[in-house]
Amino acid sequence: MIAILRKNASPEAVDHLIGWIEKKGLSTNVSRGENEIVIGLVGDTTKIDPFLLESMDIVERVQRVSEPFKKANRKFHPADSSIDCGFGIHIGAGEFQVIAGPCSVEGENLIRIARQVKAAGATMLRGGAYKPRTSPYAYQGMGPAGLDLLCEAREELKMPIVTEIMDPRDIDVFIDKKIDVMQIGARNAQNFPLLKEVGKTQIPILLKRGMSGTIDELLMAAEYIMSEGNNNVILCERGIRTFETRTRNTFDLNAVPVLHYLSHLPVVADPSHATGYTRYVAPMALAATAAGADGLEIEVHDDPSHAWSDGAQALTPDQFNDLMRRIALIREAIAPAADTE
Ligand code: PEP
Ligand code: MN
């Protein structure tokens, strides 16, 4: 349920209403836009009489929110959310960011790749130190030593780092090393204890869509994180498993405008895992940009044939550089017309 307040509602009256709702055992989510204040009611809304609420002086109207996701819902928060990732980098609400780097942190090559993606215009550095691999015999990642290499690259390049967390027991290490953005991978999109645990921090979360996850399941995963108090969630479309076998996954670009319609959270697209092949990454990165993604996550490696994971989908730094130039052109082409008033 949401209560949309009258424009002239005084701060005291708003606080009084919030207190009244919270006394009934519900929590509130207040969104102050330019033109309206929206109070989202979270919890057992049967305890509130919507007619009584609507009869209050400062309440313009009351609307039921039928979707099971509340805090992630655009109805609760009509304006786009902007997530602060550190180093002055914000994503969403018109700000577009490119996250690039190798699939896995492998060693000293990280800093070389990081310098090249930054020079090409990437604004955030990625690299997995803990890798979710289908086979237990495949490379599992460097662990804390990999996080240290990311931190060293961050110090030199002054850019936020994005890296996957797989186990709630590692959260203290991620906090300790001040990881800027924690990625929840596709395989953990419904790992509810992990989602709850990262929800207890305020660290931005790049939340990937599950391999066979629906858009609603992605939003419910975001809701798990937000219901614990962390509103810094960035959604990520990374392809879903379908009957198609010519690509690693099927890139569901519909999800970009659909997620924007349903939610205020920023939406990033990952054409690397969505396609699985270097040759398809650039066209789909451009398509995702044109579809209105707030950012891209792209795997880059300076020697893809020797990469320890996902070499088949890595761009070389030169390919990435050329792609960044074309992404800028697409961004320009789709920019809303300048306000001529
Ligand atoms: C990754 O980003 O390297 C990764 C494992 O992604 P996903 O969870 O989307 O497969
Ligand atoms: Mn990968």
Side-chain angles (χ1 to χ4, degrees):
M1 189 186 290
I2 57 171
I4 297 140
L5 307 190
R6 290 192 198 284
K7 279 198 187 88
N8 58 1
S10 71
E12 298 75 40
V14 175
D15 284 350
H16 186 262
L17 177 58
I18 291 171
W20 181 79
I21 296 166
E22 291 182 350
K23 261 203 208 112
K24 297 203 178 274
L26 282 91
S27 64
T28 54
N29 192 78
V30 185
S31 162
R32 291 171 209 270
E34 246 171 59
N35 298 316
E36 58 187 8
I37 300 175
V38 175
I39 301 185
L41 284 68
V42 187
D44 181 5
T45 49
T46 59
K47 291 188 186 138
I48 301 269
D49 176 355
F51 298 104
L52 180 62
L53 187 57
E54 203 161 55
S55 72
M56 293 181 181
D57 278 351
I58 62 162
V59 178
E60 170 93 34
R61 62 179 199 281
V62 171
Q63 204 181 313
R64 286 221 157 264
V65 175
S66 47
E67 294 90 357
F69 51 95
K70 309 289 179 199
K71 292 182 176 245
N73 202 312
R74 192 177 278 284
K75 288 178 191 155
F76 265 49
H77 189 290
D80 286 345
S81 278
S82 162
I83 310 293
D84 182 351
C85 299
F87 294 90
I89 300 295
H90 296 83
I91 188 163
E95 293 196 69
F96 180 88
Q97 308 299 346
V98 177
I99 307 162
C103 176
S104 303
V105 178
E106 301 170 352
E108 291 306 321
N109 59 354
L110 177 73
I111 188 65
R112 274 203 318 269
I113 300 169
R115 286 180 190 135
Q116 296 185 83
V117 297
K118 166 128 192 188
T123 47
M124 296 162 93
L125 174 67
R126 67 147 285 145
Y130 296 82
K131 294 304 301 175
R133 305 306 299 278
T134 302
S135 164
Y137 309 118
Y139 177 58
Q140 303 286 309
M142 290 179 77
L147 296 181
D148 287 338
L149 287 170
L150 285 162
C151 292
E152 283 171 29
R154 165 177 64 186
E155 286 323 301
E156 180 186 317
L157 298 168
K158 308 282 178 241
M159 69 200 298
I161 50 179
V162 181
T163 191
E164 179 160 351
I165 180 154
M166 297 202 302
D167 189 327
R169 290 170 297 188
D170 293 330
I171 287 199
D172 287 343
V173 181
F174 279 63
I175 293 174
D176 204 45
K177 298 196 187 289
K178 300 190 168 54
I179 299 304
D180 301 285
V181 178
M182 297 195 285
Q183 176 170 310
I184 302 279
R187 293 155 191 82
N188 277 312
Q190 287 193 314
N191 180 339
F192 301 120
L194 179 63
L195 297 173
K196 284 188 192 170
E197 219 45 43
V198 299
K200 292 181 184 137
T201 75
Q202 286 299 311
I203 301 173
I205 306 299
L206 180 66
L207 174 64
K208 291 195 154 194
R209 180 174 178 179
M211 300 245 214
S212 309
T214 63
I215 288 173
D216 281 68
E217 283 164 344
L218 173 59
L219 290 167
M220 290 309 288
E223 197 71 19
Y224 260 94
I225 298 169
M226 297 173 87
S227 67
E228 296 291 334
N230 187 353
N231 291 328
N232 300 313
V233 179
I234 303 160
L235 305 170
C236 181
E237 163 59 38
R238 48 76 73 203
I240 47 174
R241 186 168 280 182
T242 68
F243 48 79
E244 183 51 69
T245 55
R246 284 286 179 177
T247 51
R248 182 175 181 180
N249 289 295
T250 296
F251 203 7
D252 179 14
L253 281 186
N254 291 348
V256 175
V258 173
L259 287 168
H260 278 148
Y261 175 70
L262 294 171
S263 176
H264 53 91
L265 298 172
V267 180
V268 160
D270 169 356
S272 304
H273 294 88
T275 62
Y277 295 92
T278 301
R279 68 174 71 88
Y280 305 134
V281 172
M284 298 318 289
L286 296 172
T289 306
D294 300 292
L296 298 170
E297 184 175 42
I298 299 175
E299 289 187 346
V300 178
H301 198 284
D302 61 354
D303 185 6
S305 59
H306 292 102
W308 294 2
S309 60
D310 286 353
Q313 66 195 32
L315 297 188
T316 62
D318 280 349
Q319 289 169 326
F320 179 67
N321 191 55
D322 183 55
L323 173 60
M324 288 298 286
R325 184 184 59 76
R326 295 161 72 209
I327 288 169
L329 293 173
I330 296 278
R331 294 271 307 147
E332 220 178 285
I334 61 164
D339 195 346
T340 48
E341 271 178 56

